[in-house]
């Protein structure tokens, strides 16, 4: 049990995490918890056998590692709530990093964060807790990414970028150097951000504009 991990949340993002864990050979046993209606379903050969209401019981039985494996495709606090739930139970919440990622020794990564395949994180960067840094994204030097942020596949953050709590940077988006982005901001796929964004909302286009 000490070398087991519970993934909290099924779905596509859970597949990504399982693939990385198996590639890294980090754990001998992987369990999945999800909603009651998903019990019995399989994700990459692993059956969903538990609900989130059973997490405390699993901890008492000796399972000490857990990780939020629910993805994030919009601005909401579901991942944050799950993270706080497993934190309050007392689980150890690791950082999961793909072997193919290139992570500077001079960067910092908070617990509960996933660093996906072929990601680059350069020196001086600080990444918060419970973040998703998705496949092929580039995080340049001296960036600050606060907690509960999702950086989509192939997104590029130039040097000195600051991303606020609970924001979402869409697939292939480009943030130029020294840009500050507020909390609770969604940047659409392929958008180009050339000036600071100081208000929560949804932004799309090149150059980016607020749509709601």
């Amino acid at each position: 049990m000490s070398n087991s991990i519970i993934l909290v949340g099924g779905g596509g993002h859970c597949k990504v995490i399982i693939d990385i864990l198996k590639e890294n050979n980090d754990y001998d046993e992987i369990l999945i918890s999800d909603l009651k209606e998903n019990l019995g379903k399989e994700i990459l050969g692993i059956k969903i056998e538990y609900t989130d209401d059973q997490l405390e019981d699993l901890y008492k039985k000796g399972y000490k590692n857990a990780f939020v494996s629910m993805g994030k495709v919009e601005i909401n606090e579901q991942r944050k709530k799950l993270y706080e739930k497993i934190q309050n139970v007392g689980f150890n919440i690791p950082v999961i990093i793909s072997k193919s990622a290139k992570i500077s020794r001079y960067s910092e990564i908070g617990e509960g964060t996933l660093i996906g395949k072929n990601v680059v994180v350069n020196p001086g960067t600080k990444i918060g807790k419970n973040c998703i840094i998705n496949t092929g994204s580039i995080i340049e030097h001296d960036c600050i990414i606060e907690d509960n942020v999702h950086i989509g596949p192939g997104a590029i953050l130039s040097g000195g970028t600051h991303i606020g709590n609970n924001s979402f940077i869409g697939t292939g988006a480009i943030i130029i150097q020294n840009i500050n982005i507020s909390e609770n901001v969604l940047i659409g796929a392929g958008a180009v951000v050339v000036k600071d964004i100081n208000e929560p909302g949804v932004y799309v286009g090149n150059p980016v504009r607020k749509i709601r």
Side-chain angles (χ1 to χ4, degrees), residues 168-189:
F168 181 102
I169 309 300
T171 299
I174 298 173
I175 319 296
I176 70 164
Q177 64 274 8
N178 300 317
I179 290 293
N180 293 309
I181 292 178
S182 170
E183 64 181 9
N184 294 309
V185 166
L186 189 153
I187 303 295

Side-chain angles (χ1 to χ4, degrees), residues 21-55:
L21 291 178
K22 288 188 174 183
E23 187 177 74
N24 292 355
N25 197 28
D26 288 330
Y27 297 95
D28 294 332
E29 183 183 21
I30 300 171
L31 292 74
I32 304 172
S33 75
D34 204 342
L35 301 175
K36 186 176 181 179
E37 55 263 36
N38 291 325
L39 287 172
K41 293 181 180 179
E42 287 192 3
I43 300 177
L44 298 185
I46 301 173
K47 187 175 289 188
I48 300 173
E49 297 185 291
Y50 305 96
T51 67
D52 298 346
D53 293 335
Q54 295 175 281
L55 290 170

Side-chain angles (χ1 to χ4, degrees), residues 85-180:
K85 182 181 181 75
I86 62 176
Q87 186 181 52
N88 290 335
V89 170
F91 283 106
N92 172 60
I93 308 173
V95 174
I96 296 176
I97 301 175
S98 169
K99 285 184 176 181
S100 64
K102 304 296 183 184
I103 311 299
S104 170
R105 70 187 70 184
Y106 303 108
S107 62
E108 299 177 19
I109 301 171
E111 70 173 18
T113 287
L114 173 77
I115 307 292
K117 293 184 178 183
N118 298 310
V119 167
V120 175
V121 177
N122 274 329
T125 284
K126 296 180 180 180
I127 299 174
K129 300 175 182 178
N130 195 38
C131 293
I132 301 171
I133 312 299
N134 225 326
T135 309
S137 55
I138 297 173
I139 315 299
E140 262 301 341
H141 64 86
D142 302 307
C143 288
I144 297 174
I145 298 173
E146 297 186 16
D147 298 342
N148 308 304
V149 170
H150 183 170
I151 307 296
I156 299 174
L157 274 58
S158 299
T161 297
H162 188 145
I163 309 295
N165 282 305
N166 202 39
S167 287
F168 181 102
I169 309 300
T171 299
I174 298 173
I175 319 296
I176 70 164
Q177 64 274 8
N178 300 317
I179 290 293
N180 293 309

Side-chain angles (χ1 to χ4, degrees), residues 5-17:
I5 190 167
I6 304 167
L7 300 183
V8 183
H13 186 60
C14 186
K15 289 182 181 180
V16 171
I17 295 173

